[in-house]
Amino acid sequence: MATERGADSAADPLSAFRHGCTAGPATGILLCNLGSPDEPTPEATRRYLAQFLSDPRVVEIPRLLWWPILHGIILNTRPKASAAKYAQVWMKGEALGAPLKVFTQRQAKLLQGMLGERGHRVQVAWAMRYGQPGIAPALDTLRANGAQRILVFNAYPQYCAATVASNLDVVSTWMRQQRALPELRFITHYHDDEAYLRALARSVKAHWQREGRGRVLLMSFHGMPERTLKLGDPYHCECHKTARLLAERLGLQAHEWRVSFQSRFGKAKWLEPSTEQVLQELGQQKLEALDVICPGFSADCLETLEEIAMEGRETFQHAGGGQYRYIPCLNDSSEGMLALSEIAERHLAGWPTQTAALSADELTLQAARARALGASA
């Protein structure tokens, strides 16, 4: 009889399921950023812009009005010019690709290693809201690898509906298609996080040590239509808070720092002042040295490397300004990665990956290991 039951069990297709078993770490982190074209070509850029500008979170114009403009004008004129700009910043060699994708991939790899050093057994994936790899496929991969808990780490320091909420729209759609849902947590902003501000301040100070200190530090953030502020989006306020807290950490006086907003598009009224306007103003004042940083980006991209580092320099110096020094984003630097790992660790608190509190000596050792990881990435 035992043999017959064994034969029946072997024939049962349900016996193939290993209930409660996972193929990898049961906790996953998905690091999400905006996206870039697959190639710096008009065709690839057109596909990217079509997806990006079709998102109602990005362009809040009724479809009936927006669709003819998008498909009749913008997608027929803008891709060629945008592709040429991407070609100027496209990374070569082993790190081939759009800077944002290259740096986000490195951040994900280093984040997994650094959290592992802190005692967390997690798997870290990365994804782009527009382009590849997509958010939904990345979530599928984490689940296939056994993730029962997923922390969605939106890489934008300041919350904006056009960025963070758009990412979470995709996550929400993915959730509706799942039978067995994982536990989910979200990092929606970290604009005033101590680790983030510390990393920014150290980045600026290191720049000053290498290049000298400019008369003014301009903090340029991505622009948004003014109506988003009036509708209740906290983005504008969070940008100003980041700038104020960073200026305080750096010991700057009121006349030594400015805030501006870049990347305007269309005829709507946007957040003021515009970065181009401020650069022209400072140039006309014959400012002999200007430092520029973009604290709203976790990694360098077209907006920072082409619009700010290149076009911004031309605008400032053409108006009469002197030295123009762009301070790179935190990218995969040791300080930036320490900030991301500390932020992620706090949001993992209470999940089974959480390790015991570490001593000061252990934290110092891990910081040294993190610096080594950043240098070898």
Side-chain angles (χ1 to χ4, degrees):
M1 183 68 85
T3 303
E4 290 178 0
R5 283 199 299 269
D8 291 341
S9 177
D12 183 358
L14 298 182
S15 64
F17 289 92
R18 301 180 63 199
H19 302 286
C21 297
T22 61
T27 298
I29 298 176
L30 182 60
L31 185 65
C32 301
N33 217 315
L34 190 78
S36 298
D38 296 326
E39 298 175 320
T41 63
E43 295 77 14
T45 303
R46 189 182 193 280
R47 291 194 300 271
Y48 167 73
L49 289 176
Q51 184 184 12
F52 175 50
L53 297 176
S54 295
D55 187 346
R57 291 280 194 181
V58 174
V59 181
E60 298 182 275
I61 298 175
R63 303 294 92 178
L64 187 63
L65 298 176
W66 175 239
W67 240 234
I69 299 173
L70 175 62
H71 293 277
I73 301 175
I74 294 174
L75 294 180
N76 290 320
T77 59
R78 191 170 174 183
K80 184 177 180 180
S82 295
K85 292 181 178 183
Y86 274 107
Q88 294 184 70
V89 302
W90 210 256
M91 299 178 73
K92 307 295 193 300
E94 293 184 4
L96 179 64
L100 183 65
K101 295 175 75 170
V102 171
F103 284 125
T104 304
Q105 184 177 25
R106 289 178 179 175
Q107 288 172 338
K109 179 180 179 181
L110 289 169
L111 183 59
Q112 179 164 319
M114 294 176 72
L115 289 173
E117 288 283 343
R118 290 173 174 263
H120 300 276
R121 187 170 178 263
V122 298
Q123 50 181 317
V124 181
W126 64 283
M128 298 283 111
R129 171 61 182 90
Y130 314 103
Q132 302 300 324
I135 291 175
L139 289 168
D140 287 337
T141 298
L142 286 173
R143 287 291 280 157
N145 289 339
Q148 300 173 7
R149 299 169 292 274
I150 298 176
L151 172 64
V152 179
F153 194 150
N154 294 284
Y156 316 105
Q158 295 80 23
Y159 176 92
C160 182
T163 53
V164 176
S166 182
N167 283 353
L168 300 189
D169 287 342
V170 179
V171 176
S172 178
T173 298
W174 177 84
M175 290 172 63
R176 289 197 296 270
Q177 299 170 349
Q178 304 305 305
R179 171 66 63 178
L181 286 170
E183 294 182 53
L184 286 166
R185 292 181 182 175
F186 306 96
I187 297 177
T188 58
H189 60 176
Y190 50 97
H191 66 287
D192 57 356
D193 186 274
E194 285 297 313
Y196 161 66
L197 293 167
R198 181 178 66 242
L200 284 177
R202 289 179 177 176
S203 174
V204 174
K205 290 178 180 178
H207 166 82
W208 285 344
Q209 290 175 351
R210 292 190 306 268
E211 308 292 338
R213 178 170 170 173
R215 289 285 301 276
V216 172
L217 176 65
L218 176 62
M219 294 177 249
S220 179
F221 295 85
H222 178 77
M224 290 298 297
E226 186 182 85
R227 67 186 298 272
T228 61
L229 171 62
K230 296 178 178 179
L231 290 172
D233 199 309
Y235 177 73
H236 177 263
C237 301
E238 293 189 0
C239 290
H240 275 278
K241 186 174 184 180
T242 295
R244 175 176 58 80
L245 293 176
L246 177 57
E248 290 176 359
R249 279 181 169 267
L250 295 171
L252 296 177
Q253 300 299 312
H255 65 280
E256 294 179 314
W257 61 280
R258 297 283 298 273
V259 173
S260 64
F261 296 89
Q262 64 196 67
S263 307
R264 294 182 169 213
F265 177 76
K267 297 181 179 180
K269 183 173 177 56
W270 286 60
L271 296 176
E272 298 284 354
S274 76
T275 297
E276 183 178 15
Q277 177 185 15
V278 173
L279 290 174
Q280 289 176 344
E281 174 191 327
L282 294 175
Q284 291 168 355
Q285 294 174 8
K286 307 300 181 184
L287 192 73
E288 63 269 24
L290 173 66
D291 296 321
V292 185
I293 191 171
C294 297
F297 299 83
S298 63
D300 275 308
C301 58
L302 182 71
E303 284 191 40
T304 63
L305 296 175
E306 195 278 335
E307 182 180 353
I308 298 301
M310 295 180 185
E311 290 185 7
R313 178 188 305 277
E314 182 177 349
T315 298
F316 174 70
Q317 294 181 339
H318 182 74
Q323 296 184 59
Y324 180 94
R325 297 186 289 252
Y326 170 66
I327 303 173
C329 294
L330 295 175
N331 296 323
D332 56 346
S333 66
S334 57
E335 290 296 339
M337 291 310 307
L338 280 172
L340 292 183
S341 63
E342 288 183 24
I343 293 167
E345 188 172 35
R346 284 196 292 275
H347 284 79
L348 292 172
W351 273 351
T353 61
Q354 189 65 23
T355 186
L358 300 177
S359 68
D361 288 341
E362 288 173 321
L363 287 171
T364 300
L365 177 60
Q366 289 190 355
R369 288 174 176 170
R371 285 191 290 272
L373 278 170
S376 62

